[in-house]
Amino acid sequence: MDTLLKKIEGTKAFEGTRALLNPISGESRQRPAIATGHVDADGVLPGGILPGVLHEVFAGDMSAAACGFAAGLAHRVRGKKRLLWIRQDYAALEHGEICATGLAELGIDPSMVLMLRAANAPDVLKAATDALSCFALGAVIAEVPGNPRILDLVATRRLTLGAQNKGVTAILLRPCAHPEPSAAETRWTIRTTASAEHDEDWGRPCFDAALTRNRHGETGRWAMEWNPDDGVFAKPADQPATDHGPVAAATANGPLAAQDRNWRRAG
Amino acid sequence: MRRKTGIGAAPDKTPVVLSLKDSNARIVYALDTNAARAGLKTGMALASARAVVNAVHVVEADLPADRAMLDVIADWCDRYSPFVALDPPHGLLIDITGVDHLFGGEQAMLSAIRRAFRDQGFLCYGAIAGTEAAARALARFANGTIAAAGDDAATTAPLPTAALDLGEKDTHALVRAGLKTIGMVAERTRNELMARFGKEMVFKLERALGLREKPISPRRILPAYAAERRFAEPVVSEDFIADAILGLATSLTEVMEERGQGARLLEASFFRTDGAVRRVEVETARALRDPAVIAKLFRTRLDALADQLDPGFGFDLVRLAAVQAERLVPETVGLDAKPDDEKEIACLIDRLAARFGSHRMLLFQPQDTHIPEAAGVAVPAQHADDTDLDWQVRADSEPPRRPVRMFAHPELIDVFGASAPDGAPPFFTWRSVRHRVVRAEGPERIAMEWWQTYDHKPERDYFRVEDESGQRFWLFREGLYMHGAPERRWFMHGLFA
């Protein structure tokens, strides 16, 4: 058996057969993280967004910013596969429909996006669990406004297991909701951010993204900009440069020095 | 091939009549056997009927209910043949070409149907003939006759002239002229009859003789393929039904494979012993020929039904029909083939559509319009056909020109202080929240479809605005600014990411 395996190991064409012969290989398929493109965020995350797990995106209001952020994350993670967006009827009426031309303007090909309109939150969860078992999908965005009781720790755990099963990333988009305990890998809270004063142009979409929970690392908060041309996040170009050039060293004794140290003045 | 149903007899001896208001007079619409025995006739005035029999029980005729009942009976007759047509007010025409052998021959089939109706409490007159007019005539006047193939003329010849269904005046005229049977009428030359009674009468005569055919159109679409299974003992349990559907799907797909076809629309019909029929449909995105997948889709559909399939006393017939079929080319699968992503997506679409409804599973299709709310419309995925249009490619290194979220119906907003003619408003109030505009871009003029003369909508000047918190909106002013014109309305149309 081993010699046979070694012979066919070289040929890529029989990779499928190899998987068949080794069903329980013991190695858990650790899928590599996909970089968001924002250097600081990727540094805190394990190299980027981990596929095949559950990520949560929260927003305090019905902002379209969270919508755009979740779409951006999904676009990063899906690769070449399709994306399924599950929304409730209520969200479509109150918050507006997802617009195909809008997605195209964000750099996401609308022909790669499927939409499911569910009647209520339990239907959204049922559909998400069903869809996560389809390996041909790259990501599933489940949009559930508010904090319904059905979306508890158990439900998020079920979504995580579903995502791990076939490697489809699950993104739970929760507008008008406050964060709750969940089994998510990362949790983001998105706010809108005002464009810089001096910036003349309209500018790309920019989000105030706070990573409030990260299973494999620290948390953080950054201004993340979405680049529709390349389909990646980036640091906003207009952030003031931190490097001011060479400066003179601060003097050891002088008025500035005295302010720094809490020395007791004698006499 | 025709059935005629009447009203059954009441158990006691009181004559019962149905009355109908016919141009200010109440007439007798129908009788039961007791009333017929007492000498009443249909069409006589109700007052006369009361004069003949004092203790007659009068019930108001309910024609819509009769029609509804006829529909239900027609549904039930689907078990005999898929080709059922209504013959109002009280009749059904069933085309049994090619199905009579399933019931043991024409005679056996006719007896079975009449017995089934009798068991349900209906009085049924039936006959079988080559054309619908001949069958109708035989059913009414020679109940139970089966005309041999090609022998319609000889069988209908002895029937009275009233069987031709010509109307009172013409029938009376023919009888007065001495032509008391259809055979006698047929002996006259056609030209004579046509000169006296018109073309229509001659056509009716020829139809009754089986020489001319009038096509009948079935109530329901005839399926392309169907497989059915009868149960000697009516079935109630869900597992049994699921097994039956799997078996039927296997037979159905075998037949479809021979023809190289797959199903796009499948329908499962469940016939209850007490006459009710329940139908469940499953649609697919691509032609399907896999029995396991078909059975699974039906299982999902049945589970997701709002009102569960109620077997009552049990189903004695289950039929699986491919109502719409398409050409399906079998694909050869190689040893090292990667799993087909497109096929998997189609399965996902079918599964979710079966579970939640085919109108909820959507995909985006580009539309040939520049009206923003119609441009990127989501259509049901299973009905989407291939379109030649492509999505408009976004301009490189430009910020998004369209919002990611758009309201299907733009919402009215209050605007204060917009500078004419092309200025963005400095403040606006939307959903009772006031926003101060910090940055604005525009206007982008989008003219509505000006070639539509009806329901012409004014042009829109769109602005991208950002408020102090950084939220970005897409709003428009409806109509051009014109000096002296009434204040133009402003609307909120979308939100940018």
Side-chain angles (χ1 to χ4, degrees), chain A residues 13-14 17 61-65 67-69 71 81-82 84-85 87 89 91-107 109-119 123-124 126-127 130-131 133-137 143 173 175 192-207 228-229, chain B residues 296 300 335-337 339-345 347-349 351-353 355-357 359-366 372-373 375-379 381 391-409 411 430-431 438-441 463-473 494-497:
Chain A
F14 286 92
T17 324
D61 54 1
M62 63 175 233
S63 75
C67 199
F69 186 81
K81 298 191 175 181
R82 285 191 198 225
L84 175 68
W85 200 311
R87 296 187 93 209
D89 284 341
L93 293 168
E94 271 293 305
H95 304 170
E97 303 273 0
I98 299 288
C99 174
T101 39
L103 286 176
E105 292 285 338
L106 282 179
D109 183 6
S111 57
M112 285 281 134
V113 178
L114 296 169
M115 277 263 293
L116 181 69
R117 281 184 66 142
D123 273 358
V124 172
K126 274 190 224 152
D130 201 345
S133 64
C134 174
F135 58 79
L137 283 177
E143 188 173 334
L173 171 60
T192 48
T193 174
S195 304
E197 287 288 326
H198 61 268
D199 200 356
E200 279 297 318
D201 300 329
W202 184 245
R204 296 176 175 154
C206 199
F207 314 104
D229 301 317
Chain B
K296 180 97 191 297
T300 317
L335 256 182
D336 62 336
D340 187 4
D341 274 1
E342 278 308 309
K343 192 150 154 277
E344 194 63 28
I345 293 285
C347 283
L348 175 73
I349 291 175
R351 212 161 62 226
L352 291 175
R355 194 163 182 191
F356 297 102
H359 59 285
R360 286 182 178 279
M361 181 70 238
L362 310 164
L363 50 75
F364 291 112
Q365 264 202 329
E373 58 262 31
V377 144
V379 296
W391 291 105
Q392 214 175 14
V393 178
R394 66 177 303 275
D396 241 9
S397 69
E398 276 274 324
R401 287 170 307 160
R402 291 285 177 273
V404 71
R405 283 229 294 259
M406 202 185 280
F407 295 100
H409 302 285
E411 303 189 355
W430 176 54
R431 290 190 180 175
V438 164
R439 180 189 294 263
E441 264 205 14
F463 292 89
R464 294 184 273 186
V465 302
E466 183 176 322
D467 75 351
E468 67 264 24
S469 67
Q471 270 192 302
R472 292 174 166 186
F473 305 91
L495 304 165
F496 284 92

Side-chain angles (χ1 to χ4, degrees), chain B residues 70 74 82-88 91-95 216-219:
Chain B
L70 195 63
F83 205 128
V84 177
L86 293 180
D87 186 31
L92 289 176
L93 289 158
I94 305 179
D95 192 340
I216 49 176
S217 46
R219 277 175 82 234

Side-chain angles (χ1 to χ4, degrees), chain B residues 12 118 134 141 159 186 215 227 253 273 306 313 371 374 388 488:
Chain B
D12 57 65
R118 201 180 57 228
F141 292 87
L159 296 180
T253 51
T273 45
F313 288 111
I371 299 181
D388 293 331
R488 293 295 181 194

Side-chain angles (χ1 to χ4, degrees), chain B residues 29 48 66 87 112 145 159 172 192 225 237 285 377 396 414 429 439 464 470 486:
Chain B
Y29 178 64
S48 318
D66 282 350
D87 186 31
T145 318
L159 296 180
H172 191 57
E192 278 182 342
Y225 305 92
S237 85
V377 144
D396 241 9
D414 282 323
T429 306
R439 180 189 294 263
R464 294 184 273 186

